Amino acid sequence: MEKRTDSNGYTILFAIVMVVIVGSLLAFTASSLKPAITENERIEKQQNILYALGVNGNEGPGDITFVSTDKVAELFKTKVSEQLVLESKDGKVIKTMTRQEFMDANSGKEPYLIDVKKQQANAKAGESRFLPLFVGKSEKGDTYYVAPIRGKGLWDAIWGFIALDSDMIVRGAFFDHAAETPGLGANIKQRYFMDDFEGEHLLSESGAFKGIKVAKGNADPKNIDKTDYEVDALAGATITGDGVSAMIKADLKLYMPYFQNLKTAN
């Protein structure tokens, strides 16, 4: 006689029960962890924005140092005076919203939590795209504008936050990656690479957008010339460097209308 536990029906029923149990556990775990994940995302993005503004502990050589997690929220409120959202379509800014206007229209979502990857996909689909822009003060009291950017490295996504002055000159940069090669492409998040961008010009003398190229064989390895639209490449990381160049050119160019209007207003 066939055992009941050996039957096909029992096997199917057991599989269904296990799927329901495991699915329920995963759903419960995801739900319970969501507040912590959101909080970690908030802390990380605020730290990155403040880092680009120069609000960090990076005096002298060494590894990057972020504002501590227990101080980041208060410093973000103090140093970031405005959170703007530019609505762009077909590469043109069609609307500029304040933080409160954006939150009112998007169920209370903070501008710094805008998913840049999703916004890039929206633009490719012909929809409008939200471009966050954070206006803040550096440690020296200068007004800078921080824009998030996102692109593709050798293996996966790369991203960053770039601080600009009103002339679209880079005043600070932070880069990170999902899975670049350690010791090669992963070095985009090393201070010596990020610091090279400080002072680099994005616009030509005539006001045309040039971007910044991560250049192999750059004739200015000490990065003295800030108007050559180049920084020195990382050894063995050509594709990752090309990705950094591409995301700077593609994403920061979208902010040009805002800075043009800013110059006109002043």
Side-chain angles (χ1 to χ4, degrees), residues 13-29:
L13 180 61
F14 179 80
I16 292 173
V17 171
M18 288 304 297
V19 168
V20 171
I21 292 173
V22 172
S24 298
L25 287 173
L26 288 174
F28 173 76
T29 301

Side-chain angles (χ1 to χ4, degrees), residues 123-261:
K124 288 181 180 178
E127 302 174 15
S128 61
R129 171 181 175 178
F130 291 137
L131 303 168
L133 186 64
F134 310 98
V135 186
K137 295 285 187 182
S138 70
E139 288 291 75
K140 296 179 181 179
D142 299 310
T143 299
Y144 295 151
Y145 307 81
V146 181
I149 57 177
R150 186 180 178 89
K152 179 73 169 63
L154 174 60
W155 302 113
D156 208 329
I158 56 176
W159 59 88
F161 290 86
I162 306 295
L164 307 169
D165 64 17
S166 58
D167 295 314
M168 293 194 82
I169 297 172
V170 177
R171 297 304 180 186
F174 173 78
F175 299 114
D176 207 343
H177 64 92
E180 297 307 286
T181 307
L184 299 174
N187 285 346
I188 62 170
K189 66 180 297 184
Q190 293 296 318
R191 274 191 62 197
Y192 70 84
F193 178 72
M194 296 189 292
D195 288 352
D196 269 356
F197 286 82
E198 188 173 346
E200 289 288 333
H201 291 226
L202 288 169
L203 306 179
S204 69
E205 289 186 4
S206 64
F209 188 89
K210 301 287 288 186
I212 302 170
K213 183 179 180 182
V214 180
K216 190 175 181 179
N218 179 22
D220 181 32
K222 292 186 178 181
N223 202 37
I224 296 171
D225 185 358
K226 296 296 184 178
T227 58
D228 61 354
Y229 315 107
E230 292 184 350
V231 298
D232 207 29
L234 294 165
T238 301
I239 295 177
T240 306
D242 289 344
V244 172
S245 303
M247 70 176 176
I248 287 174
K249 188 169 186 177
D251 280 1
L252 291 184
K253 188 176 183 179
L254 298 174
Y255 289 88
M256 271 193 67
Y258 174 82
F259 285 96
Q260 288 170 340
N261 290 336

